[in-house]
């Protein structure tokens, strides 16, 4: 019977097995770390949930940009709703909003301690930002909405 050289019959060394286990452990550890880092640095955009006032301000801003307030007119109280019929004012605001390009986001940044019916937003557009102020009445309907250049 032919004998094999000793190198063919030796089991793998303990060092090689430990190295394979260590590589598997590093992979198991590295994946969660990479995910955690991605959430930390990119998570603010991924985890931001639009609150109801941001949604309302976004809807009004989109309606202004489209120069058509009909989709949101039911959100305004009866006194303010009458002002929406002024096509000249709505058209001027539409031009003002559209001057900054496509709407990207609306984020609330109301100062703490403000009247609970007052909400301040920064609307981000492709080419710049606008500040928006929204005041609701006690029924939750829009009593006032202002758009102006954002303070830089």
């Amino acid at each position: 019977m032919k004998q094999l050289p000793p190198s063919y019959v030796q089991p793998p060394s303990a060092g090689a097995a430990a190295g394979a286990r260590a590589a598997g452990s590093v992979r198991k550890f590295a994946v969660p770390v990479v995910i955690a880092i991605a959430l930390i640095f990119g998570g603010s955009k991924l985890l931001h949930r639009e609150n109801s006032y941001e949604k309302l301000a976004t809807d009004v801003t989109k309606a202004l940009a489209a120069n058509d307030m009909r989709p949101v007119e039911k959100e305004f109280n009866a006194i303010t709703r009458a002002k929406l019929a002024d096509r000249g004012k709505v058209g001027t605001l539409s031009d003002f909003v559209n001057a900054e390009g496509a709407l990207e986001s609306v984020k609330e940044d109301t100062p703490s301690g403000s009247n609970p019916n007052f909400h301040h937003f920064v609307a981000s557009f492709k080419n710049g930002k606008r500040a928006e102020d929204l005041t609701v009445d006690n029924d939750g309907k829009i009593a006032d909405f202002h758009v102006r250049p954002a303070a830089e």
Side-chain angles (χ1 to χ4, degrees), residues 67-126:
N67 196 15
D68 182 6
M69 299 303 289
R70 288 176 296 174
V72 293
E73 67 186 357
K74 69 181 184 317
E75 301 298 336
F76 287 81
N77 68 20
I79 297 167
T80 308
R81 192 176 310 129
K83 296 177 185 177
L84 300 178
D86 186 339
R87 302 286 297 149
K89 280 186 179 181
V90 172
T92 300
L93 280 173
S94 180
D95 291 344
F96 182 69
V97 166
N98 282 312
E100 294 298 338
L103 179 65
E104 294 177 347
S105 67
V106 176
K107 299 271 176 26
E108 184 167 7
D109 69 345
T110 304
S112 61
S114 295
N115 180 323
N117 291 351
F118 172 80
H119 301 273
H120 181 268
F121 307 90
V122 175
S124 298
F125 296 84
K126 183 178 180 185

Side-chain angles (χ1 to χ4, degrees), residues 2 18 21-24 30 55 57 64-65 69 90 101 110 114 116 138 149 151-152:
K2 186 176 177 182
R21 281 192 305 272
K55 171 135 179 42
L64 281 171
M69 299 303 289
V90 172
T110 304
S114 295
N138 291 334
E152 296 293 325

